[in-house]
């Protein structure tokens, strides 16, 4: 009834969109984890970022100011997280849950106080790229999205480059693996971790913004609905590599859009089973591709010189 | 049901000093543009009717998705002497059943269900529900008439309760209007996943739908997708016109005042429960709210009105099994 | 004397931290034009102000404690179980099914069977990520997050389908819930409040977990594997099996928490499509409680009660001063952050106490003074 | 600055560095107690002391890793503060740490480049770093592959990376914390050549070692620490080796040892054509056949990383055997589980005792029963017998003279020597049929080494079949009845005690057949 091309293009372009917020958040989390800090507060940071971006875009009409707002609040949340985990050496698993709850509550509170009801904004429009967007199928799948979608995918090679080709990346990797060694060579563990956690906060904020002013163009309480936790899981899936994270985000989103299509196409399968599919398949793929990569050795361990 | 409501404040006039106190416990937020907001809006309307904050006090506990917490809230409000404690969610039934007998002088209301626990010997629980399939049917009729592609998309949370009723009504209405119409339904398995709801809408659009509808609070994202793609939208529970004034055609709006007015009257008379209310098109509890900014063709409006008539007079029977 | 005073201060540190967080909360309350005094007295009132309030606090603490006990086991084995939400759900489902099927059996038999079913359900849901980790190297944070989502869908499926209340089947509304458990199957209540036997049971289990971890070979092995898998293998311990065991037991306790929520509080299962609708977030808050309790089963008892009180009291506060529920969530977050941060001072103080005193005297356990030895050797050399 | 003040690397020379009144307190330990210490340009100053005397602590203070509780540091007579390693590096101080400060998941070049400014700004310049590493390696004769990952390297190779790291930074003053502990005799000799060259260039070196002959060989002055306090400083020229030993320990130490004549018993452990792989799934042990008899010590000599660890692990069930057999008194224990092997009364003192032999966060008592926590008398029906475990460990603590406040002390807080005593106590107290001891005295002070040797000989007297894996030829030759030499996973030959000379063993270790 429906042409296969239509379905394939639909599934794939939907995959690209769904993957966008995961990519921002998970790449940010990758920076944090690579430096040894587990941030479980991603979802909260996303929500605050989503609200800030939405509110500023809504009141000023300027989407870029909205993005800036998400960057700023994300950075502030990251700063707080960095202070708590670097200076106060708090158990990262718990403080992250604390930040999640804070972000969840605070974003809704601000929403209630400042907006009161669900509103919409005109988000970033789809950005056609000369030539590329016109390629049959490919153009439709990859190059008919808004700028924040492109940004998310661009982030992947950038992150790869930073990790592998820059002195900063070298510092991040060593701080996450053996902070004592890095410290003994004069690398400031604290400064590196502040940087990565704040960056992770910023990217989580932008992940939220990508939802509230680019993809969904609304703000609603708890609109991320645990997406930030999946993003953290994707970092494990991607074995702390930028392209691994990309693969995870694409796989998860692909199966998710596939299940939406399965329902639309009336494929006789219980809706719950369909909804479960992305979660099951993520695990199955990981089982089949047994990876021997260990987490960064210093992950979740606060650094203390011992004096 | 307008008349009794107007009498209520008059009857209670001598007792103005003792203002009427209502507490409501809701699973979502008072601003969800959906189920919870529909109740809160109704209470505000009644408060105004009764003479403002001096005459009626409204307190609420929102976001009570944890049944346990709701039970504590219900008991607490009852202990503090609220006249009417509304448990606005079908999941709160067990709690009510347990708490209500301890407070025989307090009236409780439970939605959305028709069970007042009278079989269990409880006399102080009212029940209410919405025949959401009715508005769904009307929405379906209009949707099928306006769809040029003959493909309509539906986004729902989980296939149960109010959502499931609405969708059944919608599909019935659409198919009755155009037997060749395709209605694709997507259940996303969550009341909060705005992103997935919106991607479901995108999927519908990609699959050729030119009319969309959806139910529950997470559909706000789907409305945005509809607007972006210039696709029509039909709302339910509360009015969603403000979200996308260009493409929202009509909303089924719950007006719980119909049921609430009667409950308040009965409470004034010393009856604390035992009655179940269903809001319907017939009793005015379900209201078809048309977006005045959308230019609905005459014939379509006529078909909708005919559907409303038919449902009210019983000539249209909506299959919900 | 001094030692006693010090340990009292240590015990009170989380309380001070909570006050600090509430101080920040007070600013937020004032921004909402609410009197913090009124709000916080409501919080106290709601948590401890009456017999009923205390009971509610303990009822809330029960699943936190049970989940927390499982977390103690898993984290001791260095396995991060964030799948307690899903494990509670599967445990709850299986326990409920017992009560719905064996309607003819005596109450206590069904309750015992149900708790066992909860144990089993949670164990399965914890054992799977355990096996995936041990034998396929799948990280447990990833798998448990995914398993939570899968459990929610299973719950939705069961409550909409095979396990749906027969009364609902006939109705158009079709509330996704099971039938209510028979009166006889419900956990006995202790005082005329909602406080049920499950709380006492959880306390007993805490003692049991303590014994398990520190008095049995299994506990020894679990802790050994968590601390050093290499040395454990050398010690003849089967590392992979113990990892599976730890996650399995951890899940089992969460499963019991699910069973007890059904048999002690809700008397049925009902879904709002999310896990928190059933668990009340206990799967996450239990982790926080266990970590506050220093991953010690006995320490987890007061920690759970503390969080139970906070959650129950905060709800009361929301009702009394009519602030958005969101503020409560944010405030909870602040309390968690402040309390976990205050740990630093506790550690510092402990270290400080161990440091040799001002004069540079080594503690009594140390070897004889160096100066003497030194001069003696210098003499030898001279 | 005149030319004379410059080192070949272009850095300024440190004429003198002085630490005055340094005190450092750790919880429960006074690790440095009002210590004065100084080094001059062009000298090697040894720091000597028993395990836990506070040598590393003092040096970490100098390198900015620990903040002293009291005390001051003077550089060329000027008071300076060193708060971080960066400060130390900027002042021209470098350090080679006792416990490697390497990032395992990074390459050699990346480890060297870490923390240094890059010639390409924010981009790494690993190609240039690699070139410079090869240059330095060439100058000092340190063979190293800059592209190799640290985890792929043997312990000795990792040590070389540490040296290169310091050389690369062109430190004027270099702290060497037990750099030779993991080097073979040949490597040590080569290392001394480097050290001499550096001293001649005007570097100041601080050298920590437990091997007295090394100190006598390379150092100009020696400072002895005991329990955190300085005992004294002497010129090496004014002191003999045995004087040094006695001064350090505070009592007479026997430096040589006679091996008692014992009748060799029947074969206890026989290894037939054994092969196994290493972590990189490359063959590590190739067709090794050995017999170890009751009442003998078989020394297994070899340069580290030639399959010794893999061999020991495959015998003890910790590593999969890919070919051949292991018989323990005629019972086949090939690929048996570690627990099974333990049950058959085979004891094993692993080379990396902190990682493989004990659990740092467990108490000493818990560590004492690591191998037998599940069997009577320490456990019954799944329950631990805490009283039995307590009395057992008290007994061992006393018998083996473990220096600890109590049996409940966390094992990880003990000094290296005491940790080894705990492992030794546990493995020996079982009266094993076979004992495999890998590098049993690595990193131990003179007193502790003497003690470990005594215990091994005592076991020999009791008829235990002992395989002692060691890189220390002195140790191997002093204690072994027979010496097997391993190179690249193959046994080059077995030499009787009487026929063994360092030259002969050295050649075999380098790959020449013993026949
Ligand atoms: N770190 C390792 N290095 C080499 N081999 C290993 C390692 N870990 C496990 N193995 C191999 O896997 C086998 C089983 O390992 P282990 O005893 O740790 O697991 P287990 O819990 O006993 O598993 P099982 O349930 O399969 O018995 C070992 O006999 C060994 O061959
Ligand atoms: N970070 C620390 N925290 C607490 N105690 C420490 C710490 N570092 C060292 N110590 C203690 O300080 C004392 C001195 O330790 P240090 O490592 O300086 O000894 P050392 O002389 O280098 O011994 P070795 O020869 O074994 O290397 C020991 O008792 C040790 O346990
Ligand atoms: Mg095994
Ligand atoms: Mg040392």
């Amino acid at each position: 009834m429906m042409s296969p091309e239509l379905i394939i293009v639909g599934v794939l372009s939907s995959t690209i969109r769904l993957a966008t917020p995961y990519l921002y958040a998970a790449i940010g989390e990758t920076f944090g984890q690579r430096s040894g800090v587990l941030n479980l507060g991603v979802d909260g940071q996303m929500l605050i970022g989503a609200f800030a971006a939405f509110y500023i875009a809504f009141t000023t009409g300027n989407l870029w100011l909205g993005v800036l707002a998400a960057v700023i609040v994300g950075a502030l949340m990251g700063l707080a997280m960095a202070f708590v985990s670097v200076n106060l050496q708090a158990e990262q698993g718990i403080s992250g849950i604390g930040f999640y709850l804070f972000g969840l509550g605070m974003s809704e509170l601000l929403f209630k106080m400042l907006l009161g009801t669900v509103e919409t904004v005109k988000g970033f429009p789809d950005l056609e790229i000369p030539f590329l967007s016109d390629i049959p199928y490919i153009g439709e799948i990859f190059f008919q999205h808004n700028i924040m979608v492109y940004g998310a995918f661009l982030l992947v090679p950038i992150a790869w480059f930073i990790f592998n080709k820059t002195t900063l990346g070298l510092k991040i990797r060593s701080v996450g693996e053996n902070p004592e060694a890095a410290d003994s060579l004069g690398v400031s563990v604290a400064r590196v971790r502040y940087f990565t956690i704040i960056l992770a906060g910023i990217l989580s904020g932008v992940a939220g913004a990508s939802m509230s002013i680019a993809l969904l163009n609304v703000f609603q309480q708890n609109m991320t609905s645990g997406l930030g936790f999946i993003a953290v899981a994707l970092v494990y899936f991607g074995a702390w590599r930028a392209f691994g994270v990309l693969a995870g985000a694409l796989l998860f989103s692909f199966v998710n859009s596939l299940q939406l299509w399965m329902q639309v196409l009336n494929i006789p399968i219980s809706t719950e089973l369909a909804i479960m599919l992305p979660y099951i398949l993520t695990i199955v793929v990981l089982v089949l591709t047994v990876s021997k990569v260990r987490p960064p050795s210093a992950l979740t361990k606060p650094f203390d010189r011992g004096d | 049901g307008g008349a009794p409501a107007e009498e209520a404040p008059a009857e209670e006039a001598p007792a103005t000093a003792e203002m009427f106190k209502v507490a409501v416990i809701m699973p979502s937020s008072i601003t969800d543009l959906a189920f919870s907001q529909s109740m809160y809006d109704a209470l505000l309307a009644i408060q105004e009717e009764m003479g403002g904050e001096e005459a009626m006090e409204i307190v609420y506990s929102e976001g009570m998705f944890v049944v346990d917490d709701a039970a504590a809230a219900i008991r607490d409000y009852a202990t503090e002497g609220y006249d009417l404690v509304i448990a606005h969610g079908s999941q709160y039934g067990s709690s009510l059943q347990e708490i209500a007998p301890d407070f025989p002088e307090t009236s409780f209301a439970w939605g959305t269900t028709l069970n007042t626990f009278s079989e269990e010997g409880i006399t102080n629980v009212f029940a209410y529900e919405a025949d959401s399939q009715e508005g769904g049917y009307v929405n379906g009729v209009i949707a099928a008439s306006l769809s040029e592609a003959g493909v309509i998309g539906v986004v729902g949370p989980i296939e149960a309760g109010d959502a499931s009723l609405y969708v059944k009504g919608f599909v019935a209405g659409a198919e009755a209007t155009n037997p060749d119409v395709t209605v694709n339904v997507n259940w996303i398995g969550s009341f909060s996943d705005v992103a997935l709801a919106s991607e479901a809408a995108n999927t519908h659009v990609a699959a050729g739908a030119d009319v969309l509808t959806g139910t529950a609070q997470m559909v706000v994202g789907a409305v945005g997708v509809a607007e972006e793609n210039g696709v029509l939208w039909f709302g339910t529970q509360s009015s969603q016109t403000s979200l996308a004034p260009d493409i929202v055609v009509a909303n089924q709006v719950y007006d719980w005042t119909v049921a609430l007015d009667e409950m308040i009257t009965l409470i004034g008379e010393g009856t604390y429960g035992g009655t179940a209310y269903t809001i319907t098109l017939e009793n005015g509890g379900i209201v078809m709210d048309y977006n005045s900014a959308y230019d609905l063709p005459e014939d379509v409006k006529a078909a909708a009105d005919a559907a409303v008539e038919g449902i009210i007079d019983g000539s249209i029977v909506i299959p919900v099994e | 004397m001094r030692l006693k005073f010090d340990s009292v201060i240590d015990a009170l540190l989380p309380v001070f931290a909570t006050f600090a967080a509430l101080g920040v909360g007070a600013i937020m309350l004032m921004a909402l034009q609410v009197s913090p005094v009124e709000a916080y007295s409501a919080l106290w009132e709601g948590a401890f102000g009456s017999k009923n309030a205390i009971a509610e606090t303990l009822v809330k603490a029960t699943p936190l404690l049970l989940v927390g006990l499982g977390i103690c086991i898993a984290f001791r084995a260095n396995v991060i179980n964030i799948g307690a939400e899903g494990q509670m759900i599967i445990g709850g489902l299986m326990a409920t099914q017992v009560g719905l099927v064996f309607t003819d059996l005596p109450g206590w038999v069904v309750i015992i069977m149900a708790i066992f079913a909860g144990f089993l359900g949670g164990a399965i849901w914890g054992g799977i990520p355990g096996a995936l980790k041990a034998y396929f190297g799948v990280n447990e944070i990833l798998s448990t997050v995914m398993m939570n989502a899968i459990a929610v869908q299973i719950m939705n499926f069961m409550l909409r389908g095979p396990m749906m209340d027969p009364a609902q089947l006939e109705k158009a509304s079709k509330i996704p819930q099971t039938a209510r458990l028979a009166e006889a199957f419900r956990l006995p209540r202790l005082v005329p409040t909602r406080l049920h036997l499950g709380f006492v049971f959880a306390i007993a289990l805490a003692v049991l977990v303590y014994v398990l971890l520190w008095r049995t070979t299994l506990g020894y092995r679990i802790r050994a594997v968590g601390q050093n898998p290499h040395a454990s293998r050398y010690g003849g311990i089967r590392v992979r099996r113990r990892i599976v065991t730890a996650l399995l037991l951890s899940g089992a306790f969460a499963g019991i928490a699910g069973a007890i929520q059904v048999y002690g509080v809700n008397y049925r299962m009902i879904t709002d499509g999310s896990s928190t609708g059933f668990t009340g977030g206990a799967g996450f808050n239990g982790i926080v409680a266990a970590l506050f309790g220093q991953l010690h089963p006995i320490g987890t008892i007061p920690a759970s009660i503390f969080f139970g009180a906070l959650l129950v009291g905060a709800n009361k506060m929301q009702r009394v001063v009519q602030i958005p529920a969101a503020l409560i969530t944010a405030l909870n977050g602040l309390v968690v952050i402040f309390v976990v941060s205050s740990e630093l001072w506790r550690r510092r103080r402990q270290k400080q106490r161990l440091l040799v005193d001002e004069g540079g005297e080594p503690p009594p356990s140390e070897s004889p003074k160096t100066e003497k030895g030194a001069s003696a050797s210098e003499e030898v050399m001279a | 600055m005149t030319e004379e003040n410059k080192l070949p690397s272009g850095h300024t020379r440190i004429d003198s560095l002085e630490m005055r009144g340094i005190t450092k307190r750790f919880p429960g330990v006074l690790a440095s107690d009002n210590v004065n210490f100084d080094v001059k340009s062009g000298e090697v100053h040894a720091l000597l002391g028993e395990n836990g005397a506070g040598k590393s602590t003092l040096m970490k203070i100098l390198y900015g890793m620990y903040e002293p509780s009291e005390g001051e540091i003077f550089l060329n007579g000027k008071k300076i503060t060193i708060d971080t390693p960066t400060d130390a590096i900027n002042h021209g101080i470098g350090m080679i740490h006792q416990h490697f400060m390497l990032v395992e998941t990074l390459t050699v070049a990346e480890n060297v480049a870490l923390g240094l400014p890059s010639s390409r700004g924010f981009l790494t310049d690993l190609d240039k770093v690699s070139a410079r590493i090869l240059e330095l390696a060439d100058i000092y004769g340190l063979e190293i592959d800059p592209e190799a990952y640290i985890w792929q390297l043997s312990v000795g190779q990792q040590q070389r990376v540490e040296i290169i790291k310091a050389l690369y930074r062109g430190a004027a003053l270099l702290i060497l914390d037990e750099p030779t502990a993991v080097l073979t005799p040949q490597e040590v000799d080569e290392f001394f050549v480097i050290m001499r060259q550096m001293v001649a260039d005007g570097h100041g070196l601080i050298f920590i070692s437990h091997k007295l002959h090394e100190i006598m060989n390379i150092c100009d002055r020696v400072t002895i620490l005991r329990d955190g306090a300085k005992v004294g400083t002497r010129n090496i020229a004014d002191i003999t080796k045995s004087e040094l030993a006695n001064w350090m320990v505070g009592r007479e130490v026997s430096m040589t040892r006679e091996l008692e004549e014992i009748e060799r018993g029947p074969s206890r452990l026989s290894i037939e054509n054994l092969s196994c792989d290493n972590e990189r799934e490359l063959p590590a042990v190739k067709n090794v056949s050995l017999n170890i008899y009751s009442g003998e010590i078989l020394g297994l000599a070899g340069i580290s990383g030639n399959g010794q660890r893999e061999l020991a692990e495959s015998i003890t069930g910790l590593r999969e055997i890919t070919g051949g057999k292991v018989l323990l008194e005629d019972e086949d224990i090939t690929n048996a589980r570690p627990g099974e092997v333990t049950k058959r009364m085979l004891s094993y003192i692993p080379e990396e005792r902190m990682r493989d032999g004990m659990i740092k966060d467990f108490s000493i008592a818990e560590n004492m029963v690591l191998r037998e926590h599940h069997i009577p008398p320490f456990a019954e029906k799944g329950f631990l017998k805490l009283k039995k475990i307590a009395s057992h460990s008290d007994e061992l603590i006393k018998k083996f003279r473990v220096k600890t406040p109590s049996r409940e002390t966390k094992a990880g807080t003990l000094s290296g020597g005491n940790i080894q005593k705990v492992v030794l106590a546990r493995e020996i107290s079982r009266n094993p049929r076979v004992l495999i001891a890998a590098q049993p005295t690595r990193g131990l002070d003179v007193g502790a080494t003497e003690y470990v040797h005594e215990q091994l000989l005592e076991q020999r007297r009791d008829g235990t079949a002992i395989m002692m894996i060691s890189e220390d030829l002195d140790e191997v030759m002093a204690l072994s009845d027979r010496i097997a030499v391993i190179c690249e996973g193959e046994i080059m030959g077995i030499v009787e005690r009487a026929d063994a000379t360092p030259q002969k063993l050295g050649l075999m270790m380098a790959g020449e057949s013993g026949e």
Side-chain angles (χ1 to χ4, degrees), chain B residues 49-313:
Chain B
E49 223 173 277
M50 285 174 72
E53 287 179 17
E54 282 82 54
M56 178 174 157
E57 180 194 346
I58 306 171
V59 295
Y60 65 89
S61 289
E62 60 176 356
M64 289 282 111
F65 47 82
V66 180
V67 176
D68 229 40
D69 293 345
I74 293 168
R75 184 173 285 280
D76 205 47
Y77 284 130
T79 311
E80 286 178 9
Y82 281 85
D83 299 291
L84 173 62
V85 179
I86 304 170
H88 190 57
S90 48
Q91 62 266 50
Y92 306 142
S94 299
S95 314
L96 271 190
Q97 186 178 0
E98 193 178 317
I99 297 166
D102 296 347
F103 299 91
E105 300 286 288
T106 303
S107 177
F108 297 88
W110 180 29
T112 53
T113 166
L114 290 182
N115 186 355
T116 65
F117 300 117
S118 49
E119 282 167 32
E120 285 82 5
I122 295 171
T123 57
N124 56 339
V125 174
F126 290 110
Y128 59 89
E129 71 173 8
D131 272 350
S132 55
Q133 72 275 20
E134 295 189 358
Y137 189 93
V138 181
N139 273 351
V141 168
I142 307 171
S145 312
L146 294 179
S147 174
E148 285 165 17
V151 181
I152 299 173
V154 182
V155 180
I158 52 178
E159 193 178 355
D162 182 79
S164 154
L165 270 185
Y166 171 76
V167 173
K168 277 175 185 146
F170 184 90
V171 173
E175 284 173 352
T177 308
N178 175 5
D180 297 329
V181 79
T182 307
V183 184
N184 296 321
V185 184
N186 240 327
W187 300 102
I188 66 154
S190 161
F191 283 88
S192 60
D193 198 335
V194 183
L196 198 58
S198 120
E199 203 49 48
N202 268 319
T203 306
H204 285 310
V205 173
D210 58 355
V211 177
L212 296 181
T213 187
T215 171
Q217 57 267 29
M218 80 294 162
V219 298
V220 289
V223 182
V225 171
E227 188 182 28
E228 200 173 305
N229 290 283
V231 165
L232 299 179
W233 178 264
F234 289 84
T236 180
Q237 296 180 332
S238 285
S239 168
Q240 289 152 359
T241 304
S242 65
L243 278 178
D246 295 341
I247 50 105
V248 175
V249 179
N251 302 285
Q252 157 172 250
V253 174
Y254 296 166
D255 182 0
W256 299 109
T257 54
V258 177
L260 289 172
D261 277 339
E262 288 187 23
M263 286 180 212
I264 292 170
T265 307
L266 282 175
I267 294 167
E269 290 163 359
T271 306
Y272 296 124
T275 316
Y277 301 91
T278 303
I279 56 169
T280 59
L281 284 168
E282 184 179 10
N283 64 24
I286 287 180
V287 180
M288 289 310 299
D289 162 77
Y290 295 95
N291 176 8
S292 52
Y294 183 83
D295 195 10
L296 191 63
E298 284 301 320
D299 56 328
V300 179
K301 179 72 166 64
D305 289 341
V308 171
E309 282 309 311
I311 292 167
I312 290 175
D313 68 22

Side-chain angles (χ1 to χ4, degrees), chain D residues 21-93:
Chain D
I22 302 288
T23 296
K24 175 72 188 172
R25 296 184 194 94
F26 284 121
V29 180
L30 186 59
S32 290
D33 184 4
N34 194 23
V35 177
N36 297 322
F37 181 79
D38 73 295
V39 218
K40 297 186 186 71
S41 159
E43 77 158 349
V44 183
H45 192 155
L47 201 50
L48 186 61
E50 299 182 272
N51 295 121
K55 304 179 294 291
S56 299
T57 302
L58 188 66
M59 291 302 107
K60 282 183 181 168
I61 289 169
L62 180 55
Y63 192 60
M65 297 186 75
Y66 288 160
E67 192 186 337
S69 312
E70 284 157 39
E72 299 174 325
I73 299 174
F74 295 85
L75 184 92
N76 296 334
K78 267 199 305 243
K79 182 167 186 284
I80 55 165
T81 51
I82 301 177
D83 293 333
T84 63
T86 315
D87 293 345
I89 293 169
N90 290 341
H91 283 301
I93 301 169

Side-chain angles (χ1 to χ4, degrees), chain D residues 348-420:
Chain D
Y348 174 40
I349 298 167
E351 168 182 341
E352 286 191 46
R353 44 194 178 255
M354 296 283 265
R355 192 188 85 133
D356 294 331
M358 52 153 247
I359 297 173
K360 281 196 261 183
D361 284 327
F362 271 25
S363 69
I364 293 174
E366 284 174 312
N367 269 293
M368 285 291 192
V369 296
L370 180 57
R371 302 277 234 159
E372 300 186 322
H373 64 272
H374 58 296
I375 49 174
F378 307 125
E380 263 166 43
K381 301 196 176 73
F383 282 88
L384 298 172
K385 296 282 155 196
L386 294 183
K387 284 208 192 89
K388 283 272 165 41
I389 293 174
S391 62
H392 175 71
S393 48
D394 279 345
E395 204 176 292
L396 292 186
I397 287 170
K398 219 168 116 198
K399 186 166 167 227
F400 287 79
R401 302 203 296 270
V402 180
K403 201 166 124 190
T404 170
S406 91
R407 62 165 184 268
E408 295 306 328
T409 302
K410 297 239 182 300
T413 65
L414 296 179
S415 73
N418 282 299
I419 284 170
Q420 187 67 323

Side-chain angles (χ1 to χ4, degrees), chain C residues 221 224-226 228-239, chain D residues 359 370:
Chain C
R221 290 171 172 181
V225 166
N228 184 346
H230 299 284
S232 299
R233 245 163 68 78
Y234 163 84
I237 298 167
R238 302 206 192 173
V239 175
Chain D
I359 297 173
L370 180 57

